[in-house]
Amino acid sequence: MAPSPLRRLLKQLHPYRRRLGLAALCSVLNKLFDLAPPVLIGLAVDVLVRRDQSWIAHWGPQPVPQQLLGLAVVSFVIWSLESLFEYLYGLLWRGLAQDVQHGLRLEAYRHLQQLDLSVVEDRGSGRLMAVLNDDINQLERFLDNGANDILQLLTTVVAVGGSMVALSPGIAVWALLPIPVILQGSLLFQRRLAPRYAEVRDRAGELNALLANNLGGQVTIRSFTAEDWEATRLEHESLAYGRSNRRAIRLSSAFIPLIRFAILFAFLAILVVGGLQAWRGAIAIGTYSYLLFILQRLLWPLTGLGRTLDDYQRAMASTRRVLDLLDEPVGVRSGLRRLPLTAVRGALSFASVTFTYPGRRPLLQGLTLEVAAGETVGVVGSTGSGKSTLVKLLLRFLDPQGGSLRLDGIDLQELDLRDLRAAIGLVSQEPFLFHGSVAENITYGSFDATPAAIARAAALAEAAGFIEALPRGYDTLVGERGIRLSGGQRQRIALARAILKDPPVLVLDEATASVDNETEAAIQRSLDQITAGRTTLVIAHRLSTVRHAHRIVVLENGGIVEQGSHDALIAADGAYARLWRVQAGLRADEPLRA
């Protein structure tokens, strides 16, 4: 059985235990001083009724004015201390909430970056955003107020209940009788509220996912005139979220009337039973006054139990989602062997590599490929043949189920992940540009690069011309995901980023699949320069991209069916030749020219 969210949260708060204990102490002391005024009122009534026989007078005979003056001084001190501890607990709880929020969000994000990409893809960016933002904020709100409310409520029950029992056990029974009913009702409501708030948080994740998806797909939505359809989808998701929230609210709202009736019963009992005992002289008038006043301080805060319980359940639902993300196991773990960048030659080896995606047929079966240091190898094949999977395996976004991959003779699983990935420059089919300037995107990962190095990388990528023509040149903002640039411009900036990184191994994953002929020609010219003396793996759909590679390998049915130079493969008239005919628009029986 999984531990409760509260227990998991307390374990998470262990590094903050000293601050947590200090904040809790201030909350308790504040409540104790806050409960003092009814005691002072009871003592004042006792002084006026019994004069020199009052409880205060037992400490030494004093005139009534002096007794009242002494009470005034004590009241001033108590009010001052109550205000001081209120300030301190507010400061401590809010500071703790901010630090926990910051630490938990950072820990969750760092953990997320280590998870398999499949986990991130399956959960979706919108749902993960809801966890990292909304759920952690919900936890912060609970630590801001809810934890203090629960502590002060418990302090009130213990302190007030204990004093009532000490002064008049017979009356205290009537006052405390409703509390078990309230607590039992609280537990019942808590059990029924928990699944409802879990559903609320799930619905919030679905809504976030839809919003994130739609904001990223505005071009498609507008070009297909699907605005109304998407607005209707959003309306349905928003209404579903609202319905889940209302179901939880209806249940939590029904809690307060139950408490009010329990409080009314206790108040009437004290009013009548206590009044009769005071009338008969069984208890002092001051004691009766204290019991009436303190009963309100005991029972009325319980009306806020519904809200506190509501906040608690929301926080626990959020806590469960955040901690579930933190408990997600890391599939690809870093090795311990360091590999300095200057020591990397770039020889690659795929030895009997087998890989299968869950629930699918085997993709790679015993694939073996040797790439010499400094060699340029093109990898081609039909869609779904496993070309891009090779890249993911090389960068260890995934690990094979069988066989091994090596860099300079070292198994990739032995290498420190940061060292491995620092040695490989990747340019993908859909390059990701961050919202920032052109220069910031080129220097991503090479953050200390000089302006001269940036300009050189842009020139090699044949991007300098269009960059200098932009309104602010290298300082021009590219927009979210580079939306202000064309696809070819984004691709060339991504290539400049890889050039600036200056890796021993360069991987182009369908880098020309979505660009125009002019951009492809520009990238091809760049490759002629930047691949010299560098191991390069070119994954290509367009065969013209790999025509001048040292060697071309053809993937089919989970393995390599052909390899050789372009001319040799054309002459062999096999799988590569068939692909070339398709792209050239030739018939299957039409002769080819290398």
Side-chain angles (χ1 to χ4, degrees):
M1 183 177 179
S4 69
L6 179 59
R7 185 175 298 176
R8 296 170 72 189
L9 176 60
L10 290 174
K11 184 179 179 182
Q12 196 70 27
L13 293 176
H14 186 72
Y16 305 93
R17 60 190 180 281
R18 292 184 64 181
R19 291 172 61 191
L20 188 64
L22 191 56
L25 178 63
C26 289
S27 293
V28 171
L29 290 174
N30 166 259
K31 178 50 64 177
L32 291 175
F33 286 117
D34 181 57
L35 293 172
V39 178
L40 298 173
I41 291 171
L43 290 174
V45 171
D46 190 53
V47 167
L48 293 175
V49 173
R50 300 175 62 193
R51 300 175 184 272
D52 57 354
Q53 298 297 315
S54 69
W55 184 84
I56 294 177
H58 290 161
W59 293 85
Q62 298 177 40
V64 169
Q66 289 186 16
Q67 292 185 53
L68 293 175
L69 182 61
L71 278 175
V73 172
V74 172
S75 297
F76 177 80
V77 172
I78 287 174
W79 278 86
S80 299
L81 289 173
E82 188 266 338
S83 299
L84 172 64
F85 285 113
E86 182 173 7
Y87 166 75
L88 289 176
Y89 85 62
L91 196 67
L92 288 166
W93 279 118
R94 288 172 186 171
L96 181 66
Q98 290 299 317
D99 288 348
V100 169
Q101 175 200 45
H102 170 73
L104 199 57
R105 179 176 287 121
L106 195 59
E107 183 182 356
Y109 178 72
R110 287 186 184 278
H111 183 72
L112 178 63
Q113 291 187 118
Q114 297 178 36
L115 295 178
D116 292 357
L117 287 178
S118 58
V119 175
V120 179
E121 291 163 358
D122 289 344
R123 292 199 177 205
S125 59
R127 293 181 185 87
L128 291 171
M129 277 291 294
V131 173
L132 293 172
N133 193 39
D134 295 347
D135 287 322
I136 290 179
N137 287 344
Q138 184 68 50
L139 181 56
E140 179 219 356
R141 285 191 289 271
F142 173 71
L143 289 174
D144 258 352
N145 300 302
N148 174 70
D149 291 346
I150 290 173
L151 274 173
Q152 294 207 332
L153 184 60
L154 292 173
T155 302
T156 300
V157 171
V158 172
V160 174
S163 66
M164 293 181 74
V165 170
L167 288 172
S168 179
I171 297 176
V173 170
W174 292 98
L176 299 176
L177 195 60
I179 291 181
V181 176
I182 294 171
L183 293 178
Q184 183 62 33
S186 299
L187 293 173
L188 176 64
F189 272 80
Q190 179 181 331
R191 283 195 295 269
R192 296 186 63 186
L193 272 171
R196 298 195 182 197
Y197 278 124
E199 181 186 347
V200 169
R201 296 315 310 153
D202 287 342
R203 287 292 184 185
E206 296 288 341
L207 187 58
N208 253 36
L210 179 61
L211 285 169
N213 190 60
N214 285 8
L215 289 175
Q218 282 296 299
V219 172
T220 303
I221 291 170
R222 296 183 191 195
S223 65
F224 282 87
T225 63
E227 294 94 337
D228 291 341
W229 190 76
E230 289 297 344
T232 302
R233 284 180 67 199
L234 180 62
E235 180 184 11
H236 289 328
E237 286 293 341
S238 186
L239 287 172
Y241 172 68
R243 282 193 297 271
S244 298
N245 240 327
R246 281 193 293 274
R247 281 195 291 269
I249 290 169
R250 276 198 298 269
L251 184 58
S252 64
S253 298
F255 184 63
I256 292 178
L258 170 68
I259 295 176
R260 287 186 179 275
F261 275 104
I263 291 171
L264 176 62
F265 171 81
F267 178 76
L268 293 177
I270 294 291
L271 183 68
V272 175
V273 177
L276 290 174
Q277 289 196 18
W279 176 59
R280 293 170 184 155
I283 60 173
I285 297 296
T287 300
Y288 177 59
S289 301
Y290 166 75
L291 290 173
L292 277 178
F293 280 113
I294 204 67
L295 179 67
Q296 308 306 308
R297 306 303 295 272
L298 170 64
L299 296 178
W300 280 113
L302 292 175
T303 60
L305 189 59
R307 178 182 58 79
T308 303
L309 188 64
D310 192 66
D311 290 343
Y312 171 79
Q313 283 301 342
R314 286 179 183 269
M316 291 305 102
S318 294
T319 297
R320 184 182 292 107
R321 283 162 55 89
V322 175
L323 297 184
D324 282 349
L325 176 61
L326 284 172
D327 289 342
E328 189 76 46
V330 175
V332 176
R333 295 194 175 275
S334 176
L336 300 177
R337 184 166 177 174
R338 301 304 306 269
L339 183 65
L341 195 61
T342 54
V344 178
R345 295 183 299 106
L348 301 175
S349 172
F350 298 77
S352 302
V353 173
T354 300
F355 183 82
T356 305
Y357 287 102
R360 304 186 196 175
R361 63 177 179 82
L363 184 62
L364 302 176
Q365 301 181 70
L367 181 142
T368 296
L369 173 65
E370 299 290 334
V371 181
E375 185 182 13
T376 297
V377 174
V379 181
V380 302
S382 57
T383 301
S385 60
K387 301 186 299 295
S388 292
T389 300
L390 283 181
V391 178
K392 294 178 180 178
L393 292 171
L394 181 60
L395 284 158
R396 287 203 69 206
F397 296 150
L398 301 168
D399 277 337
Q401 285 94 26
S404 65
L405 287 82
R406 296 178 179 274
L407 172 62
D408 291 343
I410 306 169
D411 194 311
L412 300 190
Q413 297 190 27
E414 296 179 14
L415 290 173
D416 180 271
L417 268 179
R418 295 177 65 86
D419 288 351
L420 168 65
R421 291 170 183 170
I424 301 172
L426 173 66
V427 182
S428 59
Q429 179 179 352
E430 298 179 2
F432 187 93
L433 298 190
F434 296 87
H435 181 61
S437 68
V438 171
E440 287 170 338
N441 274 283
I442 293 176
T443 59
Y444 192 80
S446 306
F447 302 107
D448 56 352
T450 63
I454 298 171
R456 180 178 175 277
L460 282 173
E462 298 215 5
F466 83 80
I467 293 174
E468 290 165 3
L470 293 172
R472 296 181 60 193
Y474 286 88
D475 293 326
T476 302
L477 295 178
V478 303
E480 189 174 359
R481 293 177 177 267
I483 195 171
R484 295 178 182 174
L485 302 178
S486 71
Q489 290 172 334
R490 290 196 297 270
Q491 195 66 275
R492 278 183 269 184
I493 287 177
L495 183 59
R497 179 194 294 166
I499 293 169
L500 185 61
K501 185 179 180 181
D502 194 23
V505 179
L506 179 64
V507 177
L508 304 178
D509 184 12
E510 303 277 16
T512 62
S514 303
V515 299
D516 54 64
N517 292 333
E518 180 184 350
T519 301
E520 183 188 7
I523 291 175
Q524 192 63 54
R525 288 193 298 270
S526 300
L527 292 179
D528 292 340
Q529 297 183 63
I530 64 177
T531 59
R534 190 191 315 269
T535 305
T536 307
L537 203 60
V538 184
I539 311 296
H541 176 71
R542 287 185 178 181
L543 301 186
S544 55
T545 306
V546 298
R547 180 170 185 170
H548 301 293
H550 297 135
R551 183 161 46 110
I552 301 169
V553 299
V554 183
L555 293 187
E556 275 188 14
N557 302 318
I560 297 174
V561 294
E562 276 187 322
Q563 57 181 308
S565 67
H566 171 78
D567 291 346
L569 291 175
I570 290 293
D573 200 20
Y576 182 81
R578 286 197 302 273
L579 292 173
W580 187 266
R581 282 191 178 91
V582 169
Q583 291 200 10
L586 301 176
R587 296 190 309 273
D589 59 348
E590 203 166 341
L592 289 171
R593 292 181 182 178

